[in-house]
Amino acid sequence: MKKHVKGISLLIIIMMFSIIMSACNNGGGASSGSGGDGAISVGIVLPTKDEPRWVQDEQRFKEALSGTKYSTEILFSQGSSAKEKENVETLINKGIKVLIICPQDGAAAAAAVESAKKEGITVISYDRLITDTDAVDYYVTFDSLAVGAAQAKYLVDHAKGKGEPLYLYAGASSDNNAFLFFQGAWEVLQPKIADGTFKIANSTQADALKDTKELTRDQLGSIIGQVTTNWDPNEAKNKAQTHLTAAAADMKGDVAILAPNDGTARSIADVFGADSAIKSYVITGQDAEQASIQYIIDGKQSMTVFKDVRTLVKDAMGMAVEVLDGKTPETTGSYNNGSVDVKAKQTDVIVVDKDNVKKELIDSGYYKASDFTGL
């Protein structure tokens, strides 16, 4: 009897040791799905865990693959292109067949995806385009030009007479999307700058180009270089404070503000809202972050461009599954990345402000009414 008990105890110890070793070897990423041979089917690399958008995407990617025979692992680059490359190499070593990657830096990510392509892995650029390489097979994106155009149209539609000061802000110069957002916005704003509806308050480069509707990449870069936020709310705050401190009286009063996304919009709005010489402001955003929806309800942010990432994630993972099933994914357009025309699947965007926030974000199930006050 004692030998029998000892045998059972030894078996339990061996089993526990195996479980612990298995957990230790799990790589630190977020995994889901099956995958009978132990290989990971789809590797996903996202920019950072420090922004709500990407944490939400992580969960939605897991849900999108549940119920299929495929598995995924999700890794975060934490704002580092070097970490991003390391993540891609980790996933290659785990036997992935498809790589979905949202690059930290579109150009720097080229080397990482070229390593994947050499291994026969299908590369899907997600939300941001990887540039200057032929190693990208597909691009899943919102129409970035349409995002910028929607932001600008909102400012135009809410302009208060002639000569309204216009403050311009942009995303990071390392992000191709920042150029597309700004280009889309500029093409709508420029005629209204030229006719005197707006006067540029914070960019000498933009003012010098106010009569040019179609800007070259270098011209766009010269403006973005002056007004970049690097997608960083603190940098946006500091820049806004600097601009308002330097602004003459005729650059205050009722103002329009092109803010590139919700995180920077809230910081910029706080600065403008605290300046007693600002009578009113209209400010844009994008991503429909929960904190910004509360700002919209409270009247502190004017609008956001809602990019339903549920659809974007579904499109990206649907494309990955089609590749794994040996099918050719459906695309709706293409984007030149400086090396090749990358086939793309585009997802529509929706303008949300105080008037339709309940319909678009609560009734659609994106958020719960209980997430907000004053709704």
Side-chain angles (χ1 to χ4, degrees), residues 166-295:
L166 172 65
Y167 289 81
L168 301 170
Y169 296 95
S173 298
S174 61
D175 181 359
N176 188 64
N177 271 1
F179 281 79
L180 295 174
F181 296 143
F182 199 87
Q183 179 186 341
W186 181 262
E187 289 174 2
V188 174
L189 290 171
Q190 186 275 331
K192 294 299 180 179
I193 296 167
D195 73 7
T197 300
F198 295 118
K199 54 185 179 183
I200 297 168
N202 66 329
S203 170
T204 55
Q205 293 289 344
D207 195 54
L209 292 164
K210 65 184 178 183
D211 294 322
T212 307
K213 185 173 182 180
E214 294 184 12
L215 300 178
T216 65
R217 178 86 176 189
D218 286 345
Q219 288 171 329
L220 284 166
S222 71
I223 300 173
I224 292 170
Q226 275 195 326
V227 299
T228 179
T229 63
N230 283 314
W231 301 125
D232 183 341
N234 286 325
E235 187 165 337
K237 177 184 175 182
N238 293 337
K239 199 151 270 183
Q241 287 173 334
T242 299
H243 292 158
L244 280 184
T245 300
D250 66 343
M251 288 298 180
K252 296 194 175 183
D254 298 312
V255 304
I257 308 164
L258 178 73
N261 72 342
D262 284 348
T264 59
R266 294 192 301 276
S267 290
I268 295 167
D270 288 345
V271 173
F272 276 76
D275 190 317
S276 60
I278 301 295
K279 292 180 185 176
S280 71
Y281 62 85
V282 178
I283 186 167
T284 64
Q286 72 168 305
D287 292 333
E289 288 183 3
Q290 185 174 328
S292 274
I293 300 309
Q294 188 64 60
Y295 262 50

Side-chain angles (χ1 to χ4, degrees), residues 310 356-369:
R310 294 172 299 183
N356 68 343
V357 64
K358 183 175 183 300
K359 173 180 176 287
E360 297 296 348
L361 295 176
I362 307 302
D363 296 348
S364 73
Y366 194 80
Y367 288 123
K368 298 174 184 175

Side-chain angles (χ1 to χ4, degrees), residues 17-267:
F17 181 75
S18 298
I19 291 167
I20 291 167
M21 288 303 293
S22 175
C24 289
N25 290 329
N26 199 24
S31 302
S32 71
S34 55
D37 60 0
I40 302 296
S41 310
V42 183
I44 300 172
V45 180
L46 299 175
T48 178
K49 254 192 169 176
D50 295 335
E51 293 177 26
R53 156 72 197 281
W54 306 115
V55 177
Q56 290 173 350
D57 277 17
E58 175 188 19
Q59 186 57 37
R60 286 168 183 144
F61 269 120
K62 292 179 190 176
E63 291 166 359
L65 206 62
S66 65
T68 74
K69 62 184 177 181
Y70 300 118
S71 58
T72 187
E73 182 159 340
I74 303 169
L75 300 175
F76 291 85
S77 303
Q78 292 307 102
S80 164
S81 292
K83 179 64 176 174
E84 180 176 80
K85 193 169 189 303
E86 180 185 313
N87 285 339
V88 171
E89 288 168 357
T90 297
L91 293 169
I92 291 171
N93 291 333
K94 293 196 175 188
I96 62 169
K97 298 290 185 275
V98 179
L99 172 66
I100 297 173
I101 175 170
C102 179
Q104 171 63 29
D105 179 317
V113 298
E114 282 163 6
S115 298
K117 195 66 185 166
K118 283 176 185 173
E119 299 299 323
I121 294 163
T122 298
V123 176
I124 300 172
S125 196
Y126 175 74
D127 196 45
R128 299 173 183 170
L129 183 59
I130 298 167
T131 58
D132 302 322
T133 179
D134 62 0
V136 183
D137 295 287
Y138 298 103
Y139 180 31
V140 177
T141 183
F142 295 103
D143 186 341
S144 299
L145 288 171
V147 171
Q151 292 174 330
K153 186 176 185 302
Y154 197 91
L155 295 180
V156 169
D157 289 347
H158 292 79
K160 296 179 174 69
K162 290 281 186 179
E164 183 173 340
L166 172 65
Y167 289 81
L168 301 170
Y169 296 95
S173 298
S174 61
D175 181 359
N176 188 64
N177 271 1
F179 281 79
L180 295 174
F181 296 143
F182 199 87
Q183 179 186 341
W186 181 262
E187 289 174 2
V188 174
L189 290 171
Q190 186 275 331
K192 294 299 180 179
I193 296 167
D195 73 7
T197 300
F198 295 118
K199 54 185 179 183
I200 297 168
N202 66 329
S203 170
T204 55
Q205 293 289 344
D207 195 54
L209 292 164
K210 65 184 178 183
D211 294 322
T212 307
K213 185 173 182 180
E214 294 184 12
L215 300 178
T216 65
R217 178 86 176 189
D218 286 345
Q219 288 171 329
L220 284 166
S222 71
I223 300 173
I224 292 170
Q226 275 195 326
V227 299
T228 179
T229 63
N230 283 314
W231 301 125
D232 183 341
N234 286 325
E235 187 165 337
K237 177 184 175 182
N238 293 337
K239 199 151 270 183
Q241 287 173 334
T242 299
H243 292 158
L244 280 184
T245 300
D250 66 343
M251 288 298 180
K252 296 194 175 183
D254 298 312
V255 304
I257 308 164
L258 178 73
N261 72 342
D262 284 348
T264 59
R266 294 192 301 276
S267 290

